[in-house]
Amino acid sequence: MGTNLFTSESVTEGHPDKIADQISDTILDEMLRQDSESRVACETFVTTGLVVIGGEIATDSYVDLQKHVRDIVEKIGYTYPKIGFYYKDLAVINVIHEQSVDIAQGVVRQNPEEQGAGDQGLMFGYAINHTPEQMPLPITLSHDLTKNLAKLRKDGVLDYLRPDGKSQVSIRYVDGKPVEADRVVVATQHTEDVSQDKIKEDLTELLIKPTIGDFFNEQTDVIVNGTGKFVIGGPHGDAGLTGRKIIVDTYGGAGYHGGGAFSGKDPSKVDRTGSYAARYIAKNIVHHGLATEVSVQIAYSIGRPEPFSFSLNTAGTGTISDEDIEKKVLKEIDLRPGMLINNFDLKRPIYLPTASYGHFGRTDLDLPWEKVDLF
């Protein structure tokens, strides 16, 4: 198979797009907390001093948007008045309206067996045996870097750090197996009064080497703040939108992606629930030794409960045929949206923590789609 490189990226919770995702999922969670039947498609836009919340929502809950937006922005770490996005001084604009009755008539059913998909679309799940979580190594290490970067900031270890940041990891593979980190990139927002040499030295020793571990070596190329400066960041540096980090949210570019984002969507939206089901299936296939790598696709048609199609591909790594694995899977799981929602218990406020550092491979969260109890 030879040698090749594969690269994935992650972003911190203070990245503009991730702020938007977290606001959308904060609102979703609060609505589900009060009314588990809420139908939510909440979109968020952030820029200098401004948060705009829109979308289509049907709910019996009441959510104080001003309070919840300011609370999550404060929690993320935008507590500095002079950096252009400060939790106390935000203008919060609400342009939410009611969900279309045309969609509702295809989704709302008394029996979960009859509930139709909230939209058409195709969803993918992926798993590989390169990490204990059955995740690709580049995205796992990229998420670890951004999580640990945020921890260094929040714990006050490096007081010049600010909330916005990114990571990128290139892993060298030999004959399909990860062997070393070829290049590691970290970008972090920082105060004006610190040199780039100090930032690179600190992050190399306190962040990169401990996080990359045995995959780091003397040949690993380290790039920190490649432009030479990252003082202006967050929504003051770049506008942010819900749903713009779908590859960060999933497998870092490994496998496939159907194009649908997750945050701000209640579980009737198969972009979310179908993707979670596909990951659950893929992880169980690898965990139980049926293959070392697998991609799973599920497709739905709006208003219809039965999947439009289902397929999987083990890329020749299966211990039995793909057709036999497929039969084994479909014998154990009901892929109708209402049944997935019931069996995964998805009508509850569990989504905000997934809005940063990925939806899959999360050992820090008790997520139903990460369980290995299918077979």
Side-chain angles (χ1 to χ4, degrees), residues 32-307:
L32 290 175
R33 185 174 287 110
Q34 297 180 39
D35 174 13
S36 64
E37 299 302 320
S38 295
R39 297 280 188 254
V40 182
C42 180
E43 311 292 344
T44 302
F45 167 75
V46 297
T47 188
T48 304
L50 176 65
V51 176
V52 180
I53 303 169
E56 300 77 43
I57 293 175
T59 184
D60 287 334
S61 67
Y62 169 75
V63 177
D64 185 337
L65 295 180
Q66 294 273 344
K67 179 184 185 304
H68 282 84
V69 167
R70 295 180 196 283
D71 285 351
I72 191 61
V73 172
E74 180 185 16
K75 182 181 178 182
I76 291 168
Y78 282 93
T79 56
Y80 310 96
K82 296 182 180 180
I83 63 173
F85 197 76
Y86 177 47
Y87 78 102
K88 288 185 178 180
D89 290 342
L90 294 174
V92 180
I93 298 176
N94 174 13
V95 288
I96 291 169
H97 60 90
E98 190 171 0
Q99 185 186 67
S100 164
V101 294
D102 294 343
I103 295 175
Q105 71 178 1
V107 175
V108 179
R109 296 283 190 273
Q110 285 189 341
N111 298 319
E113 295 89 346
E114 300 173 357
Q115 179 175 324
D119 202 351
Q120 73 175 47
L122 49 142
M123 301 87 215
F124 287 94
Y126 181 77
I128 193 167
N129 68 345
H130 288 172
T131 67
E133 304 81 28
Q134 283 83 55
M135 287 288 288
L137 183 63
I139 188 64
T140 298
L141 292 177
S142 295
H143 283 322
D144 288 345
L145 284 170
T146 50
K147 280 188 284 190
N148 291 337
L149 179 62
K151 190 173 190 305
L152 288 172
R153 171 177 61 86
K154 291 182 172 182
D155 290 350
V157 176
L158 299 175
D159 60 4
Y160 54 78
L161 297 178
R162 292 297 179 261
D164 197 358
K166 289 185 174 184
S167 69
Q168 195 165 300
V169 178
S170 292
I171 293 294
R172 184 178 303 280
Y173 290 78
V174 176
D175 295 334
K177 300 296 183 183
V179 296
E180 65 177 358
D182 182 77
R183 178 168 288 181
V184 177
V185 178
V186 174
T188 182
Q189 187 183 12
H190 58 86
T191 59
E192 190 83 59
D193 58 350
V194 60
S195 72
Q196 295 302 315
D197 287 342
K198 178 168 176 53
I199 295 173
K200 183 173 182 178
E201 179 183 355
D202 286 347
L203 293 188
T204 299
E205 296 303 320
L206 298 177
L207 174 68
I208 295 171
K209 287 182 178 180
T211 301
I212 302 301
D214 292 341
F215 291 98
F216 189 93
N217 57 42
E218 292 181 358
Q219 286 73 47
T220 301
D221 185 16
V222 173
I223 300 173
V224 173
N225 288 349
T227 67
K229 189 179 183 181
F230 191 180
V231 173
I232 300 172
H236 186 46
D238 291 288
L241 289 168
T242 300
R244 279 206 306 201
K245 287 291 176 283
I246 59 176
I247 300 302
V248 172
D249 283 344
T250 52
Y251 309 101
Y256 302 93
H257 199 294
F262 302 151
S263 290
K265 296 178 180 178
D266 76 85
S268 72
K269 310 297 189 296
V270 285
D271 277 340
R272 183 161 222 158
T273 300
S275 296
Y276 291 167
R279 162 61 180 174
Y280 173 72
I281 292 167
K283 183 177 182 181
N284 273 268
I285 288 171
V286 173
H287 176 84
H288 290 284
L290 297 175
T292 58
E293 178 183 12
V294 64
S295 178
V296 174
Q297 187 197 54
I298 310 172
Y300 291 92
S301 177
I302 191 168
R304 302 293 182 89
E306 296 292 344

Side-chain angles (χ1 to χ4, degrees), residues 352-373:
L352 173 58
T354 68
S356 49
Y357 311 120
H359 292 244
F360 307 126
R362 296 293 298 271
T363 59
D364 57 325
L365 302 175
D366 183 21
L367 300 173
W369 54 89
E370 288 296 310
K371 296 187 183 303
V372 287
D373 54 4

